Amino acid sequence: MSEPLDSGDPPAGLRLTTAEWGMWQAFRNGSEHDLRSGTPELDDPNGDHEWGPRRTVRARVVALLLLHGPSPLLGRVASLQLTGAYITGRLDLSGGTVEPYVEFKQCRFEDEVLLHECRLVTARLVDCHIPRLEAARMSTEGDLHLPRCTVPGGVRLTDASIGTDLLLNEMTVGSGHRMRSFSADGIQVAQDLQASLVLATGEVGLRGAEIGGSLFMYGSVLRRGSGQYALYAPQMRVEHFAHFASSGPRELPVVHGATPPDGTAWPPPDGHSHAVRRVKPFECTGGMKLDDGKFGDSLVLDEARFHLSHDQELSLRRVQTPELCFTPERPADGRVVLAGASVDNLVDRVESWPVEDGLWMAGFTYQNLIPRGRFTLAQRIQWLATATPEYAPEPYEQLATVMRNSGEDADARAVLLEKQRRRRETLPPAAKLWGYLQDWTVAYGYRPGQAALWMAVVWASGTLYFARRPPEPLRPGESPYWSAPLYVLDLLLPVIDLGQSGQWKTAGAAQWTATALILLGWVLATTVAAGATRLLRRQ
């Protein structure tokens, strides 16, 4: 702040009104200057009533106090705490340094507030009406609070730096004639960004935002304006949690800031806030883009509602987080995109995933599945089919790996079998026919029990055939005792020699039958051996 006025009096010729003189003295005393009438209708900052000269102060006087204000009274700390005032003109603090604590409550601003590259300690605007807030590249040492504010022309906090918390709970923000209602690309928040029960009409931009604590958007309603997205936040970094979930008495946090000592309680203790009375889901009408985001603990989309058109997306491309909780209501249209995302734990429920071609997850990797509610293997396989309208092997192999690592080897084989069946549909007719034969006989080798059963059937059939048509000995008098079961078994088992197959002479149909048994034996026995090897490896 520049040098304060040497005397405690305002500059000559400023001609302060009664309301402004009271504000001047309250500033020096560090106390609240309350201009409310006591009538709720007249104290509503969003009403159309007349405020009158007794409740009106000029923005230039406010700026004078904040940038060049008088020295405080002895033993006091100067601060501007203004309640229930109508502030005329444009409040412009751009490029300035504001050292006093600033708090506006239930105030109505006639014109926009400009805070470009302004440096503040702590600023709180609570339940105010502001036509537009321009605060690009502003910085605060402490909090910036805007709870319950109405800003019809939008907020710009591009590249701003917030020293502790950014509180936006219950804000109502529009876009005016712009595309965005809330533009905060590149913002840095040292602790939490709390934006619960926000109503935003126009795109909310948080591209490249860095949040040192957590992001909370309980029960907020985001509606796109003229653009494609309701929330555009690629490359966002959140140190801990990002919650897009339902609000409620237990879910909505109570905030206690660092300055003043008692902070700003939320929800307000007077009971006027709708936050204390109802539970409301997070709603997003329009696309939501969180591509390339990193979330240190978890990304939670719980009981949220996404209203998407056919060309809009809930895009989580290349997101990285230890836990993704995907339990929203199922989008009726649009797409959910998880391509390239990487998570450790996937918490989900079957009712949340899109159907038909509404899910893309090529390259999506996860280590553990934690279903919420019943999620059968058949439903998991259908989940993969939805995500791969055109056959791709990676999603099937990923799911099989996760199931195998969790000890569900039979389910893993079932998934890989389904992969082969999906692959079969892409093959030419001859290869497709061979695939059907493999599936019917040995299930592509993923059901060794089925192969063993077929081997038993072939062995019994061959035994009956050669019991009725025993071949002649190759060397009469030297051949072993004839045994049809041993002979057929020697034909079926590859590698192992039981000393039977080379001792008898076959011709005609018997020779063709023996050849068929040898070929079937190779196919079936190797399938059984592969299944046994997988079982031993798991043990």
Side-chain angles (χ1 to χ4, degrees):
M1 183 172 72
S2 301
E3 287 296 322
L5 299 172
D6 291 333
S7 68
D9 297 329
L14 189 57
R15 296 182 182 180
L16 298 182
T17 64
T18 302
E20 292 170 348
W21 182 257
M23 177 179 66
W24 190 279
Q25 297 303 320
F27 176 85
R28 296 190 66 199
N29 192 46
S31 59
E32 179 183 11
H33 186 47
D34 193 343
L35 296 174
R36 288 178 295 185
S37 66
T39 303
E41 291 79 6
L42 298 180
D43 292 333
D44 182 5
N46 298 306
D48 295 329
H49 54 274
E50 293 292 333
W51 288 74
R54 294 183 178 180
R55 302 179 59 192
T56 301
V57 298
R58 289 169 289 174
R60 60 174 293 203
V61 179
V62 173
L64 177 62
L65 285 173
L66 294 177
L67 297 176
H68 308 280
S71 300
L73 299 176
L74 293 178
R76 310 297 295 180
V77 177
S79 66
L80 181 63
Q81 302 178 53
L82 188 60
T83 302
Y86 181 54
I87 302 168
T88 59
R90 177 182 296 174
L91 179 59
D92 189 353
L93 304 176
S94 299
T97 298
V98 179
E99 294 179 359
Y101 167 74
V102 182
E103 182 172 276
F104 296 93
K105 291 192 298 186
Q106 289 188 280
C107 292
R108 183 180 179 91
F109 291 80
E110 180 187 44
D111 207 339
E112 61 184 357
V113 175
L114 303 180
L115 300 175
H116 292 302
E117 300 186 15
C118 179
R119 293 173 294 280
L120 301 102
V121 178
T122 291
R124 291 187 170 95
L125 291 84
V126 180
D127 197 11
C128 294
H129 180 97
I130 310 168
R132 179 168 174 82
L133 176 60
E134 288 277 358
R137 298 176 299 282
M138 73 166 293
S139 62
T140 69
E141 294 181 16
D143 300 340
L144 175 62
H145 286 193
L146 299 167
R148 298 183 71 185
C149 284
T150 300
V151 193
V155 174
R156 181 159 66 163
L157 285 168
T158 307
D159 296 318
S161 177
I162 309 302
T164 50
D165 294 327
L166 174 59
L167 178 65
L168 308 173
N169 289 345
E170 288 197 84
M171 172 184 276
T172 300
V173 57
S175 60
H177 59 276
R178 300 171 176 83
M179 183 179 73
R180 284 188 168 183
S181 61
F182 190 89
S183 181
D185 292 348
I187 191 172
Q188 296 181 356
V189 181
Q191 296 182 15
D192 293 341
L193 195 169
Q194 302 198 27
S196 297
L197 294 167
V198 168
L199 173 58
T201 303
E203 181 178 284
V204 174
L206 288 168
R207 179 176 59 85
E210 295 185 8
I211 301 170
S214 297
L215 169 64
F216 300 105
M217 298 194 78
Y218 294 115
S220 293
V221 177
L222 309 182
R223 299 169 180 163
R224 74 180 183 95
S226 57
Q228 181 77 2
Y229 296 97
L231 175 61
Y232 184 80
Q235 302 172 359
M236 182 165 61
R237 303 289 185 268
V238 180
E239 188 69 22
H240 296 299
F241 305 95
H243 283 212
F244 303 88
S246 296
S247 70
R250 291 190 297 270
E251 289 85 351
L252 191 63
V254 176
V255 178
H256 294 285
T259 53
D262 58 349
T264 301
W266 205 261
D270 57 11
H272 294 307
S273 171
H274 62 267
V276 299
R277 297 197 300 271
R278 60 175 175 161
V279 175
K280 191 174 186 304
F282 172 83
E283 291 190 48
C284 183
T285 301
M288 179 168 164
K289 191 180 187 71
L290 298 178
D291 295 357
D292 300 294
K294 291 185 179 180
F295 305 91
D297 291 326
S298 68
L299 170 61
V300 178
L301 305 169
D302 185 30
E303 299 181 3
R305 295 175 181 171
F306 294 96
H307 308 287
L308 307 173
S309 62
H310 70 281
D311 60 338
Q312 293 173 344
E313 298 178 344
L314 167 55
S315 181
L316 305 175
R317 290 177 174 87
R318 299 173 298 279
V319 161
Q320 298 179 35
T321 180
E323 182 168 287
L324 170 63
C325 178
F326 190 87
T327 53
E329 295 183 8
R330 175 179 289 153
D333 207 345
R335 293 180 297 273
V336 175
V337 183
L338 284 161
S342 177
V343 306
D344 292 337
N345 298 325
L346 175 60
V347 181
D348 65 346
R349 62 183 179 188
V350 65
E351 298 86 3
S352 297
W353 293 108
V355 295
E356 297 179 355
D357 60 347
L359 176 61
W360 295 356
M361 57 181 194
F364 176 41
T365 60
Y366 47 92
Q367 306 303 319
N368 301 292
L369 289 170
I370 307 175
R372 185 177 293 180
R374 182 175 174 81
F375 208 142
T376 65
L377 177 62
Q379 290 169 327
R380 279 289 177 201
I381 291 175
Q382 182 58 43
W383 175 62
L384 294 183
T386 301
T388 54
E390 295 184 0
Y391 167 72
E394 292 84 2
Y396 290 91
E397 293 167 358
Q398 171 68 35
L399 179 58
T401 299
V402 171
M403 289 184 165
R404 188 179 298 112
N405 291 340
S406 62
E408 301 171 351
D409 199 54
D411 288 348
R413 292 197 302 272
V415 172
L416 293 175
L417 174 59
E418 187 62 29
K419 181 192 80 168
Q420 293 293 340
R421 289 171 174 169
R422 285 290 307 278
R423 176 180 176 272
R424 182 176 64 207
E425 302 306 315
T426 67
L427 299 177
K432 186 180 296 186
L433 181 62
W434 172 244
Y436 277 112
L437 180 62
Q438 286 183 293
D439 193 359
W440 182 60
T441 54
V442 297
Y444 288 97
Y446 291 112
R447 292 179 182 169
Q450 180 175 323
L453 178 62
W454 274 109
M455 194 165 189
V457 171
V458 171
W459 176 63
S461 301
T463 299
L464 289 175
Y465 179 86
F466 282 105
R468 296 178 180 178
R469 301 174 180 83
E472 296 181 0
L474 189 63
R475 292 183 291 275
E478 299 180 7
S479 297
Y481 179 77
W482 167 249
S483 173
L486 281 178
Y487 176 72
V488 174
L489 190 61
D490 199 8
L491 293 174
L492 286 173
L493 292 178
V495 182
I496 300 175
D497 185 5
L498 300 180
Q500 291 286 332
S501 59
Q503 303 296 325
W504 308 95
K505 181 170 59 177
T506 56
Q511 186 177 18
W512 283 105
T513 301
T515 303
L517 289 172
I518 293 172
L519 295 176
L520 287 173
W522 272 100
V523 173
L524 296 174
T526 52
T527 301
V528 173
T533 301
R534 282 194 295 267
L535 179 61
L536 290 173
R537 186 181 297 117
R538 284 297 307 158
Q539 292 176 345

